[in-house]
Structure formats: C-alpha cells, structure tokens
Amino acid sequence: MNTSDAGDRAQGTPQPPGGVRVLGRALSAVITRAPALWPLLRGPTRRFFERAAPDWDRRDRNQSDYLAALAAGLLHVVPAPERALDVGTGTGAAALLVAREFPRARVRGLDISEEMIRRATARVGLDPEGRVAFKLGDASALPWGEESFDLLTQLNMPPFFGELARVLRPGGHVLIAASYGNATPFYTPDAVLERGFKRHGLEPVASGEAGAGTYFVARLPA
Ligand SMILES: C[S@@+](CC[C@H](N)C(=O)[O-])C[C@H]1O[C@@H](n2cnc3c(N)ncnc32)[C@H](O)[C@@H]1O
C-alpha cells in the first residue's frame, strides 16, 4: 500500500484534531513496540476516552465511510466465524457491523471505558439470546481463555499482539482497520502489523484500502 495515497484520500474526510493524533501515535508506538509500558498509560488513556464517549457518536462513526475499510477486510474472512470479538470497540460500531455481516456469529465487544461500554450496550437493546454483548476490560489482559474466538477485529485501535494470538483459535482471522488510513491517530503501519503477528505464528492474508481507510488481515494456520 502507498501510505501517502491513504493520507491523501483522508483529505476531505472529517479529521481528528492534531493533539489527538499526537497522543494516538504515541500510544500506538508503546502498545505495539513496548507493551510492558502500557500500565503507565492505562489510567490517562481510560480517562481520555471516558471524556470522549458522550460525543463519540456525534461524528461520523456509524457511516459507511468510517466503516468502509473494516467492511472490505471482512470480505477476506472465510469461512464465516462462529465467535467474534471487537477489541477497543468504543460505542460498538465495528462489533455491530460484524454481527450484521455474520448473522450466525456470537459477537462480543470489549473496551476499557465504562461510558463507551454503557453506550454500546444501549444500542443492542433487549437481546434475549445474547448474540451481541459488550464487556468492560483491558486489551492487554483479555478476559477470555485461550482459543475463544475465530475472528478478532480492531477498528482504530493498536493491537496487543500476544493477547490477540492467545485468544484466537487455529484457522481464525484477525482484522485491523483504520478509518482514515495513516491519518488515523491509532494507525499501525502494515509492516509493524506483519512483524508483530508473525512473531506469534499468524500469516498475513490481505491488506488494502477502502474509502479513506486501510485494513490488514492475518490468519492463524489451522
Ligand atoms: C480511537 S477509539 C476507537 C473506537 C471504535 N473502535 C471506533 O472506531 O469507533 C479507541 C477505543 O479503544 C479503547 N481502548 C484503548 N485502549 C484500550 C485497552 N487497552 N483495552 C480496551 N480498550 C481500549 C478506548 O477506550 C476507545 O474506545
């Protein structure tokens, strides 16, 4: 992928403020390159997103442009998953898209912000079967056992590689998408994703662009 193209395509799309981009880049670098430092940043990050939650959906979060890269990446997820988890789900836009695309899958969304989870849960309404549900938790210590999911998604959230690999079933997929490509505050370059997942035995499947966004898909061999 030509990342400057992705940046160019993001022009004209509503962009996050500069300060948010700087913070996001710093957090992404720590999480993907030095995750042991995460405990120092957990508190400030949670507080930042608690404050952001009430206005999160005032922007374009549930529109097709915001979700285009994630939707394009999902086309590479074959066969359809049975159990999916969206990490750093915010108000749940990506989790709900996964649930629509894979109507037989049980879908979970996880976030470190209580207010984001409260808002995501409110969108599900009464769901007697509990097919879609949201949970408070930290991506650095996912509250599920080994091999719990066959699809893991992250939209605009940097990956904790080891934890994702731990909860992924053999044959399962991981999809990392960024709504504004390399202009996304929590953007992780493909080369970093490829290296990080390879260290944990995952193989790259596809990467590409859709709208202003980018996606990367990897798979744990069966
Ligand atoms: C940039 S927002 C993206 C939200 C959503 N995926 C979207 O695109 O609308 C990042 C989200 O990840 C959450 N987050 C950040 N660090 C996290 C962690 N270690 N564990 C779980 N959630 C985390 C934040 O609370 C926030 O809701």
Side-chain angles (χ1 to χ4, degrees), residues 131-221:
R131 189 171 84 83
V132 181
F134 295 95
K135 190 175 174 103
L136 189 65
D138 186 339
S140 72
L142 291 171
W144 286 278
E146 290 176 16
E147 301 183 11
S148 292
F149 299 96
D150 48 6
L151 173 61
L152 301 168
T153 56
Q154 294 200 177
L155 180 63
N156 307 318
M157 163 80 195
F160 286 90
F161 295 113
E163 273 302 272
L164 293 176
R166 184 180 67 77
V167 301
L168 187 62
R169 288 183 192 159
H173 292 81
V174 176
L175 163 50
I176 310 292
S179 295
Y180 310 113
N182 72 349
T184 306
F186 279 77
Y187 175 74
T188 309
D190 280 5
V192 175
L193 294 174
E194 187 165 337
R195 244 190 342 266
F197 284 124
K198 270 190 174 161
R199 275 204 308 274
H200 294 279
L202 279 79
E203 296 167 347
V205 168
S207 62
E209 305 161 350
T214 53
Y215 65 87
F216 177 94
V217 184
R219 180 174 174 272
L220 189 62

Coordinates of all heavy atoms in Angstrom, one line a residue, residues 131-221:
R131 N -26.7 -12.6 21.6 CA -25.8 -12.9 20.5 C -24.7 -11.8 20.4 O -23.6 -12.0 20.1 CB -26.6 -12.9 19.1 CG -25.7 -13.3 18.0 CD -26.6 -13.6 16.8 NE -26.8 -12.4 16.0 CZ -26.0 -11.9 15.1 NH1 -24.8 -12.4 14.9 NH2 -26.4 -10.8 14.4
V132 N -25.1 -10.5 20.7 CA -24.1 -9.4 20.7 C -24.1 -8.9 22.2 O -25.2 -8.6 22.7 CB -24.6 -8.3 19.8 CG1 -23.5 -7.2 19.8 CG2 -24.7 -8.9 18.4
A133 N -22.9 -8.8 22.7 CA -22.8 -8.2 24.1 C -21.5 -7.5 24.2 O -20.5 -7.8 23.5 CB -22.9 -9.3 25.1
F134 N -21.5 -6.5 25.2 CA -20.3 -5.7 25.4 C -19.8 -5.9 26.8 O -20.6 -6.1 27.7 CB -20.6 -4.2 25.1 CG -21.0 -4.0 23.6 CD1 -22.3 -4.1 23.2 CD2 -20.0 -3.9 22.7 CE1 -22.6 -3.9 21.9 CE2 -20.3 -3.7 21.3 CZ -21.6 -3.8 20.9
K135 N -18.4 -5.7 27.0 CA -17.8 -6.0 28.3 C -16.7 -5.0 28.5 O -16.0 -4.7 27.6 CB -17.2 -7.4 28.2 CG -16.8 -8.0 29.5 CD -16.3 -9.5 29.2 CE -15.7 -10.1 30.4 NZ -16.6 -11.0 31.1
L136 N -16.6 -4.6 29.8 CA -15.5 -3.7 30.2 C -14.3 -4.6 30.4 O -14.3 -5.6 31.0 CB -15.9 -3.1 31.5 CG -15.1 -2.0 32.1 CD1 -15.0 -0.8 31.2 CD2 -15.5 -1.6 33.5
G137 N -13.1 -4.1 29.9 CA -11.9 -4.9 30.1 C -10.7 -4.2 29.4 O -10.9 -3.2 28.6
D138 N -9.6 -4.8 29.6 CA -8.3 -4.2 29.0 C -7.8 -5.2 28.0 O -7.6 -6.4 28.3 CB -7.3 -4.0 30.2 CG -6.1 -3.3 29.8 OD1 -5.7 -3.3 28.6 OD2 -5.4 -2.8 30.7
A139 N -7.5 -4.6 26.8 CA -7.0 -5.5 25.7 C -5.6 -6.1 26.0 O -5.2 -7.1 25.4 CB -6.8 -4.6 24.5
S140 N -4.9 -5.6 27.1 CA -3.6 -6.1 27.4 C -3.8 -7.4 28.3 O -2.8 -8.1 28.5 CB -2.8 -5.1 28.2 OG -3.3 -4.9 29.5
A141 N -5.0 -7.7 28.7 CA -5.3 -8.9 29.5 C -6.7 -9.3 29.2 O -7.6 -9.1 30.0 CB -5.1 -8.6 31.0
L142 N -7.0 -9.8 28.1 CA -8.3 -10.1 27.6 C -9.0 -11.1 28.6 O -8.4 -12.1 28.9 CB -8.3 -10.7 26.2 CG -7.9 -9.7 25.1 CD1 -7.7 -10.4 23.7 CD2 -8.9 -8.6 24.9
P143 N -10.2 -10.8 29.0 CA -10.9 -11.6 30.0 C -11.6 -12.8 29.4 O -12.8 -13.1 29.6 CB -11.9 -10.7 30.6 CG -12.2 -9.7 29.5 CD -11.0 -9.5 28.7
W144 N -10.8 -13.6 28.5 CA -11.3 -14.8 27.9 C -10.1 -15.8 27.9 O -9.0 -15.4 27.9 CB -11.8 -14.6 26.5 CG -13.2 -13.9 26.4 CD1 -14.4 -14.5 26.6 CD2 -13.4 -12.5 26.2 NE1 -15.4 -13.5 26.5 CE2 -14.8 -12.3 26.3 CE3 -12.6 -11.4 26.0 CZ2 -15.4 -11.1 26.1 CZ3 -13.2 -10.2 25.8 CH2 -14.6 -10.0 25.9
G145 N -10.4 -17.0 27.8 CA -9.4 -18.1 27.7 C -8.8 -18.2 26.3 O -9.2 -17.6 25.4
E146 N -7.8 -19.1 26.3 CA -7.2 -19.4 25.0 C -8.2 -19.9 24.0 O -9.1 -20.7 24.3 CB -6.1 -20.5 25.2 CG -4.9 -19.9 26.0 CD -3.9 -21.0 26.3 OE1 -3.9 -22.0 25.6 OE2 -3.0 -20.7 27.2
E147 N -8.0 -19.6 22.7 CA -8.7 -20.1 21.6 C -10.2 -19.9 21.7 O -11.0 -20.7 21.4 CB -8.4 -21.6 21.4 CG -6.9 -21.8 21.1 CD -6.6 -23.3 20.8 OE1 -7.5 -24.1 20.6 OE2 -5.4 -23.6 20.8
S148 N -10.6 -18.7 22.2 CA -12.0 -18.4 22.5 C -12.8 -17.9 21.2 O -14.0 -18.0 21.1 CB -12.2 -17.4 23.5 OG -11.8 -17.8 24.8
F149 N -12.0 -17.3 20.2 CA -12.7 -16.7 19.1 C -12.0 -17.1 17.8 O -10.8 -17.4 17.7 CB -12.5 -15.1 19.2 CG -13.1 -14.6 20.5 CD1 -12.4 -14.4 21.6 CD2 -14.5 -14.3 20.5 CE1 -12.9 -13.9 22.8 CE2 -15.1 -13.8 21.7 CZ -14.3 -13.6 22.8
D150 N -12.9 -17.1 16.7 CA -12.3 -17.3 15.4 C -12.3 -16.1 14.5 O -11.9 -16.1 13.4 CB -12.9 -18.5 14.7 CG -14.4 -18.5 14.7 OD1 -15.0 -17.5 15.2 OD2 -15.1 -19.4 14.3
L151 N -12.7 -14.9 15.1 CA -12.5 -13.6 14.4 C -12.2 -12.6 15.5 O -13.0 -12.4 16.4 CB -13.7 -13.2 13.6 CG -13.6 -11.8 13.0 CD1 -12.4 -11.7 12.0 CD2 -14.9 -11.4 12.2
L152 N -11.1 -11.8 15.3 CA -10.8 -10.7 16.2 C -10.7 -9.5 15.3 O -10.0 -9.5 14.3 CB -9.5 -10.9 16.9 CG -9.4 -12.2 17.7 CD1 -8.0 -12.5 18.1 CD2 -10.3 -12.0 19.0
T153 N -11.5 -8.4 15.7 CA -11.4 -7.2 14.9 C -10.9 -6.0 15.8 O -11.2 -6.0 17.0 CB -12.8 -6.8 14.2 OG1 -13.7 -6.7 15.3 CG2 -13.2 -7.8 13.2
Q154 N -10.3 -5.1 15.2 CA -9.9 -3.8 15.9 C -10.1 -2.7 14.8 O -9.5 -2.8 13.8 CB -8.5 -3.8 16.4 CG -8.3 -4.9 17.5 CD -7.1 -4.6 18.4 OE1 -6.9 -5.3 19.3 NE2 -6.3 -3.6 18.1
L155 N -10.9 -1.7 15.2 CA -11.0 -0.5 14.3 C -10.4 0.7 15.1 O -10.9 1.0 16.1 CB -12.5 -0.3 14.0 CG -12.8 0.9 13.1 CD1 -12.2 0.8 11.7 CD2 -14.4 1.1 13.0
N156 N -9.4 1.3 14.5 CA -8.8 2.5 15.1 C -8.3 2.2 16.5 O -8.5 3.0 17.4 CB -9.8 3.6 15.1 CG -10.4 3.9 13.7 OD1 -9.7 3.8 12.7 ND2 -11.7 4.1 13.6
M157 N -7.6 1.1 16.6 CA -7.1 0.7 17.9 C -5.8 -0.2 17.7 O -5.9 -1.1 16.9 CB -8.2 -0.1 18.6 CG -7.7 -1.0 19.8 SD -7.5 0.0 21.3 CE -6.6 -1.2 22.3
P158 N -4.7 0.2 18.3 CA -3.5 -0.6 18.1 C -3.5 -2.0 18.8 O -4.1 -2.1 19.9 CB -2.3 0.3 18.7 CG -3.0 1.1 19.7 CD -4.5 1.3 19.2
P159 N -2.9 -3.0 18.2 CA -3.0 -4.4 18.7 C -2.0 -4.7 19.8 O -0.8 -4.4 19.7 CB -2.8 -5.2 17.5 CG -1.9 -4.4 16.6 CD -2.2 -3.0 16.9
F160 N -2.5 -5.4 20.8 CA -1.6 -6.2 21.8 C -1.4 -7.6 21.1 O -2.3 -8.4 21.3 CB -2.2 -6.3 23.1 CG -2.2 -5.0 23.9 CD1 -3.3 -4.1 23.8 CD2 -1.1 -4.7 24.8 CE1 -3.3 -2.9 24.6 CE2 -1.1 -3.5 25.5 CZ -2.2 -2.6 25.4
F161 N -0.4 -7.7 20.4 CA -0.2 -8.9 19.5 C -0.4 -10.2 20.3 O -1.1 -11.2 19.9 CB 1.1 -8.9 18.8 CG 1.3 -7.8 17.8 CD1 2.2 -6.8 18.1 CD2 0.6 -7.8 16.7 CE1 2.4 -5.8 17.2 CE2 0.7 -6.7 15.8 CZ 1.6 -5.7 16.0
G162 N 0.3 -10.3 21.5 CA 0.3 -11.6 22.2 C -1.0 -12.0 22.7 O -1.4 -13.1 22.7
E163 N -1.8 -11.0 23.2 CA -3.2 -11.3 23.7 C -4.1 -11.7 22.6 O -4.9 -12.7 22.7 CB -3.7 -10.1 24.4 CG -3.4 -10.0 25.9 CD -3.8 -11.3 26.6 OE1 -4.9 -11.3 27.2 OE2 -3.0 -12.2 26.7
L164 N -4.0 -11.1 21.4 CA -4.9 -11.5 20.3 C -4.5 -12.9 19.9 O -5.4 -13.7 19.7 CB -4.7 -10.5 19.1 CG -5.2 -9.1 19.4 CD1 -4.8 -8.2 18.2 CD2 -6.7 -9.0 19.6
A165 N -3.2 -13.2 19.8 CA -2.8 -14.6 19.4 C -3.3 -15.6 20.4 O -3.7 -16.7 20.0 CB -1.3 -14.6 19.2
R166 N -3.3 -15.2 21.7 CA -3.7 -16.2 22.7 C -5.2 -16.6 22.6 O -5.5 -17.8 22.8 CB -3.4 -15.5 24.1 CG -3.7 -16.5 25.3 CD -3.4 -15.8 26.6 NE -4.3 -14.7 26.9 CZ -5.6 -14.9 27.3 NH1 -6.1 -16.1 27.5 NH2 -6.4 -13.8 27.6
V167 N -6.0 -15.6 22.3 CA -7.5 -16.0 22.3 C -8.0 -16.4 21.0 O -9.2 -16.7 20.8 CB -8.3 -14.8 22.9 CG1 -7.9 -14.4 24.3 CG2 -8.3 -13.6 21.9
L168 N -7.1 -16.5 20.0 CA -7.5 -16.8 18.6 C -7.4 -18.3 18.4 O -6.4 -19.0 18.8 CB -6.6 -16.1 17.6 CG -7.1 -16.2 16.1 CD1 -8.4 -15.6 15.9 CD2 -6.0 -15.6 15.2
R169 N -8.5 -18.9 17.8 CA -8.5 -20.3 17.5 C -7.6 -20.6 16.3 O -7.6 -19.7 15.4 CB -9.9 -20.8 17.2 CG -10.8 -20.9 18.3 CD -12.2 -21.5 17.9 NE -13.2 -21.3 18.9 CZ -14.5 -21.3 18.7 NH1 -15.0 -21.4 17.4 NH2 -15.3 -21.1 19.7
P170 N -7.0 -21.8 16.2 CA -6.3 -22.1 14.9 C -7.3 -22.0 13.7 O -8.5 -22.4 13.9 CB -5.9 -23.6 15.2 CG -5.7 -23.7 16.6 CD -6.8 -22.8 17.2
G171 N -6.8 -21.4 12.7 CA -7.7 -21.2 11.5 C -8.5 -19.9 11.6 O -9.1 -19.5 10.6
G172 N -8.4 -19.2 12.7 CA -9.1 -17.9 12.9 C -8.4 -16.7 12.3 O -7.2 -16.8 12.0
H173 N -9.1 -15.6 12.1 CA -8.6 -14.4 11.5 C -8.5 -13.2 12.5 O -9.4 -13.1 13.4 CB -9.5 -14.0 10.3 CG -9.5 -14.9 9.2 ND1 -10.2 -16.1 9.1 CD2 -8.8 -14.9 8.0 CE1 -10.0 -16.7 8.0 NE2 -9.1 -16.0 7.3
V174 N -7.6 -12.4 12.2 CA -7.5 -11.1 12.9 C -7.6 -10.0 11.8 O -6.9 -10.1 10.8 CB -6.2 -10.9 13.6 CG1 -6.1 -9.5 14.2 CG2 -6.0 -11.9 14.7
L175 N -8.4 -9.0 12.1 CA -8.6 -7.9 11.1 C -8.3 -6.5 11.8 O -9.0 -6.2 12.8 CB -10.0 -7.9 10.5 CG -10.6 -6.7 9.8 CD1 -9.6 -6.2 8.7 CD2 -11.9 -7.1 9.1
I176 N -7.3 -5.8 11.4 CA -7.0 -4.5 12.0 C -7.3 -3.4 10.9 O -6.8 -3.5 9.8 CB -5.5 -4.4 12.3 CG1 -5.1 -5.6 13.2 CG2 -5.2 -3.0 13.1 CD1 -5.6 -5.7 14.6
A177 N -8.3 -2.5 11.2 CA -8.6 -1.5 10.2 C -8.5 -0.1 10.8 O -8.6 0.1 12.0 CB -10.1 -1.7 9.8
A178 N -8.2 0.9 9.9 CA -8.0 2.3 10.3 C -8.9 3.1 9.4 O -8.7 3.1 8.2 CB -6.6 2.7 10.2
S179 N -9.9 3.8 10.0 CA -10.9 4.5 9.2 C -10.3 5.6 8.3 O -10.9 5.9 7.2 CB -11.9 5.2 10.1 OG -12.6 4.2 10.8
Y180 N -9.2 6.2 8.7 CA -8.6 7.3 7.9 C -7.2 6.9 7.4 O -6.3 7.8 7.2 CB -8.5 8.6 8.7 CG -9.8 9.0 9.4 CD1 -9.8 8.9 10.8 CD2 -10.9 9.3 8.7 CE1 -11.0 9.2 11.5 CE2 -12.1 9.7 9.3 CZ -12.1 9.6 10.7 OH -13.3 9.9 11.4
G181 N -6.9 5.6 7.2 CA -5.6 5.2 6.8 C -4.5 5.7 7.7 O -4.7 5.7 8.9
N182 N -3.4 6.2 7.1 CA -2.3 6.6 8.0 C -2.5 8.0 8.7 O -1.7 8.5 9.4 CB -1.0 6.6 7.3 CG -0.8 7.7 6.2 OD1 -1.8 8.3 5.9 ND2 0.4 7.8 5.7
A183 N -3.7 8.6 8.4 CA -4.1 9.8 9.1 C -4.8 9.5 10.4 O -5.2 10.4 11.1 CB -4.9 10.7 8.2
T184 N -5.1 8.2 10.6 CA -5.8 7.8 11.8 C -4.9 7.9 13.1 O -3.7 7.5 13.0 CB -6.2 6.3 11.7 OG1 -6.9 6.1 10.5 CG2 -7.1 5.8 12.9
P185 N -5.4 8.5 14.2 CA -4.5 8.7 15.3 C -3.9 7.3 15.8 O -2.7 7.2 16.1 CB -5.4 9.3 16.4 CG -6.4 10.0 15.6 CD -6.6 9.2 14.4
F186 N -4.7 6.3 15.9 CA -4.3 5.0 16.4 C -3.9 4.1 15.2 O -4.1 2.9 15.2 CB -5.3 4.3 17.2 CG -5.4 4.8 18.6 CD1 -6.0 6.0 18.9 CD2 -4.9 4.0 19.6 CE1 -6.1 6.5 20.2 CE2 -5.0 4.5 20.9 CZ -5.6 5.7 21.2
Y187 N -3.2 4.7 14.2 CA -2.8 3.9 13.0 C -1.6 3.0 13.3 O -0.6 3.5 14.0 CB -2.5 4.8 11.9 CG -2.0 4.2 10.6 CD1 -2.8 3.4 9.8 CD2 -0.6 4.3 10.3 CE1 -2.4 2.8 8.6 CE2 -0.2 3.7 9.1 CZ -1.0 2.9 8.3 OH -0.5 2.3 7.2
T188 N -1.6 1.8 12.8 CA -0.4 1.0 12.9 C 0.0 0.6 11.5 O -0.8 0.0 10.8 CB -0.7 -0.3 13.8 OG1 -1.2 0.1 15.0 CG2 0.6 -1.1 14.0
P189 N 1.3 0.9 11.1 CA 1.7 0.5 9.7 C 1.6 -1.0 9.4 O 1.8 -1.8 10.4 CB 3.1 1.1 9.6 CG 3.2 2.0 10.7 CD 2.3 1.6 11.8
D190 N 1.4 -1.3 8.2 CA 1.3 -2.7 7.8 C 2.5 -3.5 8.2 O 2.5 -4.7 8.6 CB 1.1 -2.9 6.3 CG -0.3 -2.7 5.9 OD1 -1.2 -2.3 6.8 OD2 -0.6 -2.8 4.7
A191 N 3.7 -2.9 8.0 CA 5.0 -3.6 8.3 C 5.0 -4.0 9.8 O 5.5 -5.1 10.2 CB 6.2 -2.7 8.0
V192 N 4.6 -3.1 10.7 CA 4.5 -3.4 12.1 C 3.5 -4.5 12.4 O 3.8 -5.4 13.2 CB 4.2 -2.1 12.9 CG1 4.1 -2.4 14.4 CG2 5.3 -1.0 12.7
L193 N 2.4 -4.4 11.8 CA 1.4 -5.5 12.0 C 1.9 -6.8 11.5 O 1.8 -7.8 12.2 CB 0.1 -5.1 11.2 CG -0.7 -3.9 11.7 CD1 -1.8 -3.6 10.7 CD2 -1.2 -4.1 13.1
E194 N 2.5 -6.8 10.3 CA 3.0 -8.1 9.8 C 4.1 -8.7 10.7 O 4.0 -9.9 11.0 CB 3.6 -7.9 8.4 CG 3.9 -9.1 7.7 CD 4.2 -9.0 6.2 OE1 3.7 -8.0 5.6 OE2 4.9 -9.8 5.7
R195 N 5.0 -7.9 11.1 CA 6.1 -8.4 12.0 C 5.5 -8.9 13.3 O 5.8 -10.0 13.8 CB 7.1 -7.2 12.3 CG 8.4 -7.5 11.8 CD 9.5 -6.5 12.2 NE 9.1 -5.2 12.8 CZ 9.0 -4.1 12.1 NH1 9.2 -4.1 10.8 NH2 8.6 -3.0 12.7
G196 N 4.6 -8.1 13.9 CA 4.1 -8.4 15.2 C 3.3 -9.7 15.2 O 3.4 -10.5 16.1
F197 N 2.4 -9.9 14.2 CA 1.6 -11.1 14.1 C 2.5 -12.3 13.8 O 2.3 -13.4 14.3 CB 0.5 -10.9 13.1 CG -0.6 -10.1 13.7 CD1 -1.1 -8.9 13.1 CD2 -1.2 -10.5 14.9 CE1 -2.1 -8.2 13.6 CE2 -2.3 -9.7 15.5 CZ -2.7 -8.6 14.8
K198 N 3.5 -12.1 12.9 CA 4.4 -13.2 12.5 C 5.1 -13.8 13.8 O 5.3 -15.0 13.9 CB 5.4 -12.8 11.5 CG 4.9 -13.0 10.1 CD 6.0 -12.8 9.0 CE 5.5 -13.1 7.6 NZ 6.3 -12.5 6.6
R199 N 5.5 -12.9 14.7 CA 6.1 -13.4 15.9 C 5.3 -14.3 16.7 O 5.7 -15.1 17.5 CB 6.5 -12.2 16.8 CG 7.8 -11.4 16.5 CD 8.3 -10.7 17.7 NE 7.3 -9.8 18.3 CZ 7.1 -8.6 17.9 NH1 7.8 -8.0 16.9 NH2 6.2 -7.8 18.6
H200 N 3.9 -14.2 16.5 CA 3.0 -15.1 17.2 C 2.4 -16.2 16.3 O 1.4 -16.7 16.6 CB 1.9 -14.3 17.9 CG 2.5 -13.4 19.0 ND1 2.8 -13.8 20.2 CD2 2.9 -12.1 18.9 CE1 3.3 -12.8 20.9 NE2 3.4 -11.8 20.2
G201 N 3.0 -16.4 15.2 CA 2.6 -17.5 14.3 C 1.5 -17.2 13.3 O 1.0 -18.1 12.6
L202 N 1.1 -16.0 13.2 CA 0.0 -15.6 12.2 C 0.6 -15.3 10.9 O 1.7 -14.7 10.8 CB -0.9 -14.5 12.7 CG -1.9 -14.8 13.8 CD1 -1.3 -15.0 15.1 CD2 -3.0 -13.7 13.8
E203 N -0.1 -15.6 9.8 CA 0.3 -15.3 8.5 C -0.5 -14.2 7.9 O -1.8 -14.2 8.0 CB 0.1 -16.5 7.6 CG 1.0 -17.7 8.0 CD 0.5 -19.0 7.3 OE1 -0.6 -19.0 6.7 OE2 1.3 -19.9 7.4
P204 N 0.1 -13.2 7.2 CA -0.7 -12.2 6.5 C -1.6 -12.8 5.4 O -1.1 -13.7 4.7 CB 0.3 -11.2 5.9 CG 1.6 -11.9 6.1 CD 1.5 -13.1 7.0
V205 N -2.8 -12.3 5.3 CA -3.8 -12.8 4.3 C -4.0 -11.8 3.3 O -4.0 -12.1 2.1 CB -5.1 -13.2 5.0 CG1 -6.2 -13.5 4.0 CG2 -4.9 -14.5 5.9
A206 N -4.3 -10.6 3.7 CA -4.6 -9.5 2.7 C -4.4 -8.2 3.4 O -4.5 -8.1 4.7 CB -6.1 -9.6 2.3
S207 N -4.1 -7.1 2.6 CA -4.2 -5.8 3.1 C -4.7 -4.9 2.0 O -4.5 -5.3 0.8 CB -2.8 -5.3 3.6 OG -1.9 -5.3 2.6
G208 N -5.3 -3.8 2.3 CA -5.8 -3.0 1.2 C -6.4 -1.7 1.7 O -6.2 -1.3 2.9
E209 N -7.1 -1.0 0.8 CA -7.7 0.3 1.1 C -9.1 0.3 0.7 O -9.5 -0.4 -0.2 CB -6.9 1.4 0.3 CG -5.4 1.3 0.4 CD -4.7 2.0 -0.7 OE1 -5.4 2.3 -1.7 OE2 -3.5 2.2 -0.6
A210 N -9.9 1.1 1.4 CA -11.3 1.3 1.0 C -11.7 2.6 1.6 O -11.6 2.9 2.7 CB -12.2 0.2 1.6
G211 N -12.3 3.5 0.7 CA -12.6 4.8 1.1 C -11.3 5.5 1.5 O -10.3 5.4 0.9
A212 N -11.4 6.2 2.7 CA -10.1 6.8 3.2 C -9.3 5.9 4.1 O -8.3 6.2 4.6 CB -10.5 8.1 4.0
G213 N -9.9 4.6 4.3 CA -9.3 3.7 5.3 C -8.4 2.6 4.7 O -8.3 2.4 3.5
T214 N -7.8 1.9 5.6 CA -6.9 0.8 5.3 C -7.3 -0.4 6.2 O -7.8 -0.2 7.3 CB -5.4 1.1 5.5 OG1 -5.2 1.6 6.8 CG2 -5.0 2.2 4.5
Y215 N -6.9 -1.6 5.7 CA -7.1 -2.8 6.5 C -6.0 -3.8 6.4 O -5.3 -3.7 5.3 CB -8.5 -3.5 6.2 CG -8.6 -4.0 4.8 CD1 -8.1 -5.3 4.6 CD2 -9.1 -3.3 3.8 CE1 -8.2 -5.8 3.3 CE2 -9.1 -3.8 2.5 CZ -8.7 -5.1 2.3 OH -8.7 -5.6 1.0
F216 N -5.9 -4.7 7.3 CA -4.8 -5.7 7.3 C -5.5 -7.0 7.9 O -6.1 -6.9 9.0 CB -3.6 -5.2 8.1 CG -2.5 -6.3 8.3 CD1 -1.4 -6.3 7.4 CD2 -2.6 -7.2 9.3 CE1 -0.4 -7.2 7.5 CE2 -1.6 -8.2 9.4 CZ -0.5 -8.2 8.5
V217 N -5.4 -8.1 7.2 CA -5.9 -9.3 7.7 C -4.8 -10.4 7.9 O -4.0 -10.5 7.0 CB -7.0 -9.9 6.7 CG1 -7.7 -11.1 7.3 CG2 -8.1 -8.8 6.4
A218 N -4.8 -11.1 9.0 CA -3.9 -12.2 9.2 C -4.7 -13.4 9.7 O -5.8 -13.2 10.2 CB -2.8 -11.8 10.2
R219 N -4.0 -14.6 9.6 CA -4.7 -15.8 10.0 C -3.7 -16.7 10.7 O -2.6 -16.8 10.4 CB -5.2 -16.5 8.7 CG -5.9 -17.8 8.9 CD -6.4 -18.3 7.5 NE -7.0 -19.6 7.6 CZ -6.3 -20.7 7.5 NH1 -5.0 -20.7 7.3 NH2 -7.0 -21.9 7.7
L220 N -4.3 -17.4 11.7 CA -3.5 -18.4 12.5 C -3.7 -19.7 11.7 O -4.9 -20.2 11.6 CB -4.0 -18.5 13.9 CG -3.2 -19.3 14.9 CD1 -1.8 -18.8 15.0 CD2 -3.9 -19.4 16.3
P221 N -2.6 -20.3 11.3 CA -2.8 -21.6 10.5 C -3.6 -22.6 11.3 O -3.4 -22.7 12.5 CB -1.4 -22.0 10.2 CG -0.6 -20.8 10.3 CD -1.2 -19.9 11.3

